Amino acid sequence: MILDRLENLPTGNFHYKLLFVTGLGWLFDSMDTGLISFILPVLSKEWGLSPTQAGEIGSIGLVGMALGAVLAGTLADKFGRKKVFAATVILYSLSTGLCAISWNYTSLLIFRFFVGFGLGGELPVAATLMSEYAPGNLRGRFIVLLESFWGVGWIVAACISYLLIPQFGWQIAFFIGALPALYVFLIRLHMPESVRYLISKNKIDDAKKIILSLEEKLGVESKPFDKELLPIETGKNSEVEQNFLTLWSPKFRVRTIMLWIAWFGIVYSYYGIFMWLPSIVFAQGFAVVKTFEYVLIMTLAQLPGYFAAAWLVDLIGRRYTLSGFLLMSGVCSYFFGNAGTATELLIWGASMSFFNLGAWGVIYTYTPELYPTSIRALGSGWAAGFGRIGGMTAPAVVGILLTGGAHMNSIFAMFASVFVMVSIVILTLGIESKQKTLEEIEES
């Protein structure tokens, strides 16, 4: 059986290379998102933008991300993970380069929309592909480690902003953000199409070729395939219709509700907080350079958060890890908003980064596991796309609140409440999927 041979492959160089190649896409996406948050304080001063306008620049990318996630997820289930992944990388890279030549507020909004469209499309497709290749007993760890590249991307963005923006202006950051377009050549060379996707499309011979190639690379003795195949290898997943309504069928309805609420809350809080983080720290009285230093330290705390989540997700499970990390994100964000000194700001900001980004790693693990192969990218894309509604709303809401004179403590109390509510929803409605193959989860 093809899937048995895929699941029984020893973890080796192929898996780590695939993690690295997909992780680079994650890093570049994160770098772009981080760059705009660091650029906003400088750009607002240079162009005389109001807090509301700055919030709209942050939000417009999320509008693109919502549409990109939905469309790319749909296309990835129809035309393949690899093709859609490469196309989205090219789109957001070229659009980021165009941001560097923006001549006014409107042009930047347009370019940021297309950046978001490509970025939003790439993330769920990459997570889907990685989840379909990662060994069942280590799948959670692999996906969280994939998400950890997001933390590295933020660190790169902070370094670019700290070292280059004061010297060369904000345009240099966007020019650097265009470089990932070259990375598509790596995708073509080192990223195979998903075996599970090929089976779902009855491309059995192509799936066999990939398995034989992987067995050779990983030092496994290859055997001829049996002529007879089990139902799952002859298109069993075609019984699940590839459309939006399937996500709301009795089998998937509760999963979809839970995931949509989880994604909305996580994205709303993350982008509301981190898109404004440099500006908020700057508003507390720190110079721009000092702001970059503080945010860089907070960003570094993301990496141990990912590694802790990667360890726990296969130990205590997706549900408890995700719920716990979100609960602690709420606690930390509340105390961050009430910090009275620079030291408190730094400690609670770093703790908030630790738990919040660890939660992101788990949600990207959890989401594709809860849908079968034929609608896995579709379901992941719609969940992420709905989440982006929260992301496009939050930066604008914060901008409006700041314009209306709201204090930092009340803004972060709002985010803390969202984190806690989402934690409760996941604990109540979520199912556990650790240490199971994707097919075992589908049947549960």
Side-chain angles (χ1 to χ4, degrees):
M1 186 175 178
I2 297 175
L3 291 180
D4 282 343
R5 287 172 68 162
L6 176 65
E7 286 291 331
N8 290 328
L9 288 173
T11 305
N13 288 337
F14 161 75
H15 297 95
Y16 294 113
K17 184 183 290 185
L18 183 63
L19 175 64
F20 178 73
V21 172
T22 51
L24 279 179
W26 225 276
L27 184 153
F28 293 138
D29 285 354
S30 169
M31 182 182 73
D32 175 85
T33 304
L35 285 176
I36 192 64
S37 72
F38 287 113
I39 287 170
L40 274 177
V42 178
L43 197 61
S44 296
K45 184 177 180 181
E46 185 175 320
W47 284 4
L49 301 178
S50 68
T52 301
Q53 288 178 313
E56 287 171 352
I57 290 176
S59 295
I60 194 66
L62 275 298
V63 176
M65 289 180 78
L67 297 174
V70 170
L71 181 59
T74 304
L75 293 176
D77 281 332
K78 291 185 179 295
F79 301 109
R81 289 40 166 149
K82 182 177 178 178
K83 291 178 181 177
V84 176
F85 184 84
T88 54
V89 169
I90 291 175
L91 177 60
Y92 85 75
S93 299
L94 296 181
S95 300
T96 300
L98 289 173
C99 289
I101 60 172
S102 299
W103 52 93
N104 58 22
Y105 171 71
T106 303
S107 62
L108 182 59
L109 280 180
I110 294 171
F111 295 143
R112 289 303 303 172
F113 170 81
F114 286 106
V115 170
F117 194 94
L119 194 157
E122 187 267 331
L123 296 177
V125 175
T128 297
L129 180 63
M130 191 70 235
S131 70
E132 290 176 341
Y133 268 112
N137 63 326
L138 295 174
R139 188 173 56 249
R141 190 166 302 174
F142 265 89
I143 304 301
V144 177
L145 289 175
L146 170 63
E147 168 68 12
S148 74
F149 280 83
W150 185 273
V152 178
W154 262 86
I155 293 168
V156 172
C159 290
I160 290 172
S161 303
Y162 176 60
L163 298 173
L164 298 181
I165 289 180
Q167 297 291 324
F168 303 103
W170 55 269
Q171 291 90 345
I172 188 68
F174 282 134
F175 279 127
I176 293 173
L179 295 178
L182 302 174
Y183 151 71
V184 171
F185 295 106
L186 267 181
I187 296 174
R188 291 183 176 277
L189 286 173
H190 299 292
M191 182 181 289
E193 184 51 86
S194 164
V195 169
R196 285 182 164 90
Y197 164 79
L198 292 172
I199 291 173
S200 74
K201 294 298 183 182
N202 287 319
K203 297 181 178 180
I204 306 300
D205 289 339
D206 291 338
K208 287 180 180 179
K209 289 177 184 177
I210 292 177
I211 292 295
L212 292 172
S213 174
L214 293 180
E215 288 177 336
E216 182 180 354
K217 290 177 181 177
L218 294 170
V220 176
E221 183 180 354
S222 294
K223 302 176 183 178
F225 282 97
D226 294 333
K227 292 183 179 180
E228 293 185 3
L229 295 169
L230 295 179
I232 193 170
E233 296 182 341
T234 56
K236 177 183 176 183
N237 281 322
S238 62
E239 296 172 11
V240 179
E241 292 187 36
Q242 291 180 319
N243 61 55
F244 174 77
L245 293 179
T246 303
L247 303 179
W248 296 95
S249 62
K251 181 176 178 61
F252 302 113
R253 186 180 302 140
V254 174
R255 300 181 188 189
T256 298
I257 291 171
M258 184 272 295
L259 287 173
W260 282 33
I261 292 173
W263 271 94
F264 184 92
I266 290 175
V267 180
Y268 178 88
S269 302
Y270 175 82
Y271 282 95
I273 292 171
F274 286 91
M275 191 71 73
W276 278 95
L277 193 57
S279 300
I280 289 173
V281 175
F282 179 69
Q284 294 297 102
F286 299 106
V288 175
V289 172
K290 198 70 174 179
T291 299
F292 289 147
E293 292 175 355
Y294 272 75
V295 175
L296 176 58
I297 293 171
M298 294 179 195
T299 304
L300 286 170
Q302 296 177 8
L303 294 180
Y306 286 124
F307 300 146
W311 177 64
L312 289 170
V313 75
D314 285 320
L315 181 66
I316 66 173
R318 281 68 159 142
R319 204 173 111 211
Y320 291 116
T321 304
L322 182 55
S323 180
F325 270 58
L326 286 172
L327 179 63
M328 290 306 300
S329 296
V331 171
C332 295
S333 59
Y334 174 81
F335 284 106
F336 179 82
N338 287 274
T341 66
T343 301
E344 291 178 0
L345 194 77
L346 194 57
I347 291 172
W348 289 113
S351 300
M352 184 172 61
S353 291
F354 177 96
F355 288 108
N356 187 239
L357 275 297
W360 270 96
V362 185
I363 194 70
Y364 269 109
T365 300
Y366 201 26
T367 304
E369 291 179 336
L370 299 186
Y371 296 107
T373 300
S374 59
I375 59 168
R376 183 166 293 125
L378 174 73
S380 299
W382 271 100
F386 184 76
R388 302 305 173 187
I389 297 174
M392 71 181 72
T393 304
V397 168
V398 174
I400 292 169
L401 290 174
L402 289 173
T403 303
H407 294 292
M408 184 175 169
N409 58 353
S410 60
I411 292 173
F412 277 86
M414 172 191 68
F415 289 126
S417 300
V418 173
F419 279 129
V420 172
M421 286 189 289
V422 174
S423 174
I424 294 171
V425 168
I426 292 168
L427 202 57
T428 304
L429 300 181
I431 64 170
E432 190 47 64
S433 55
K434 71 169 183 172
Q435 306 296 331
K436 295 180 181 178
T437 67
L438 295 174
E439 287 65 43
E440 288 172 339
I441 299 168
E442 179 183 346
E443 294 171 3
S444 62

